[in-house]
Amino acid sequence: MPTPSPAVSVDSPEHIPAPPSEAQAALKDSGAVGLGMFPLGVAFGVLVVHSGLSWWWAPVISGLVYAGSLEFLLVGMIVALAPLAQIALSAFLINFRHVFYALSFPLHRVKSPAGKTYAVFGMTDEAYALTSAGAARSWSGRRILWLQAFLQTYWVSGATTGALLGAVIPPQVVGLDFALTALFAVLAFDAVRARRELPTPVLALICALVARFAVPSQMLLVAFALFTTALLARYTLTRKAARA
């Protein structure tokens, strides 16, 4: 009589699902954000062709510049044949906020020089928002790089789609311009809910309101300056209180 084979435990390696790869995990992490980036990329592609530029300018600008709001401004500058110095100054002023992103972006987890170079290039608002969340503290450098690559893919593919379909898409589509605003509102609510830290968003709201009523024509720049000053002052006072 043959000896019965031993029962396989449900906890044996054969029944334990394999962990997702870094690319699969990054794809899942970036999926919701891609829903906001893709339609805005479509709007950018439509703007490119309706400005009189060839469709291929959309993937070139979105792939090589990859700077969101600067790209929309850059299209007008290219059409107007703006001087290179003016373009450089505009790029500096619009993207200056990335200097503050670099203070807490987990670049130290990326080991290779090529990876670090791309991580710096792909340090967008969306990438920073996702990697600064509490759940991202355990992410590896490879997962961060895959995340940034997927985010850029959403943006470039959206821009290319909008440029190729620009002839049939009207120049003004209601809702496309609000896609990214809605995305960041959701990310902000998720961050507040995860960290349960109210002073920072309250400071941001106060700074925005002050800038809106005091200098409405320069609201964004003034709000950023006030918020940065408030954060630095709060950090200084917190450190002094901790030492006392």
Side-chain angles (χ1 to χ4, degrees), residues 223-234:
F224 269 130
L226 289 175
F227 186 51
T228 302
T229 303
L231 287 178
L232 291 174
R234 179 187 170 198

Side-chain angles (χ1 to χ4, degrees), residues 57-82:
W57 276 98
V60 168
I61 295 176
S62 59
L64 298 180
V65 178
Y66 190 42
S69 55
L70 174 63
E71 295 179 33
F72 285 87
L73 180 62
L74 185 60
V75 171
M77 289 184 169
I78 292 175
V79 173
L81 300 177

Side-chain angles (χ1 to χ4, degrees), residues 34-158:
L35 294 177
M37 294 186 69
F38 184 85
L40 193 65
V42 171
F44 173 70
V46 172
L47 174 66
V48 167
V49 294
H50 280 277
S51 297
L53 299 175
S54 300
W55 71 269
W56 53 264
W57 276 98
V60 168
I61 295 176
S62 59
L64 298 180
V65 178
Y66 190 42
S69 55
L70 174 63
E71 295 179 33
F72 285 87
L73 180 62
L74 185 60
V75 171
M77 289 184 169
I78 292 175
V79 173
L81 300 177
L84 184 60
Q86 181 181 349
I87 295 177
L89 179 60
S90 300
F92 174 77
L93 293 176
I94 293 175
N95 290 331
F96 184 72
R97 67 188 185 278
H98 289 185
V99 173
F100 300 100
Y101 291 171
L103 298 177
S104 55
F105 187 80
L107 187 62
H108 61 281
R109 300 183 201 162
V110 182
K111 304 304 180 183
S112 68
K116 286 183 181 292
T117 301
Y118 180 74
V120 172
F121 170 74
M123 194 186 302
T124 60
D125 299 332
E126 297 82 5
Y128 178 80
L130 290 173
T131 55
S132 62
R137 294 174 182 173
S138 61
W139 291 0
S140 66
R142 289 177 60 84
R143 183 167 176 175
I144 293 172
L145 289 175
W146 274 112
L147 173 77
Q148 292 179 288
F150 283 128
L151 292 179
Q152 186 175 14
T153 300
Y154 300 139
W155 178 254
V156 175
S157 60

Side-chain angles (χ1 to χ4, degrees), residues 199-228 230:
T200 299
V202 169
L203 274 177
L205 177 61
I206 293 174
C207 293
L209 291 175
V210 170
R212 172 65 180 85
F213 291 105
V215 194
S217 61
Q218 300 292 332
M219 174 188 170
L220 187 60
L221 182 61
V222 174
F224 269 130
L226 289 175
F227 186 51
T228 302

Side-chain angles (χ1 to χ4, degrees), residues 11 39 42 82 196 229 239:
D11 294 328
V42 171
R196 301 185 180 276
T229 303
R239 290 199 65 181

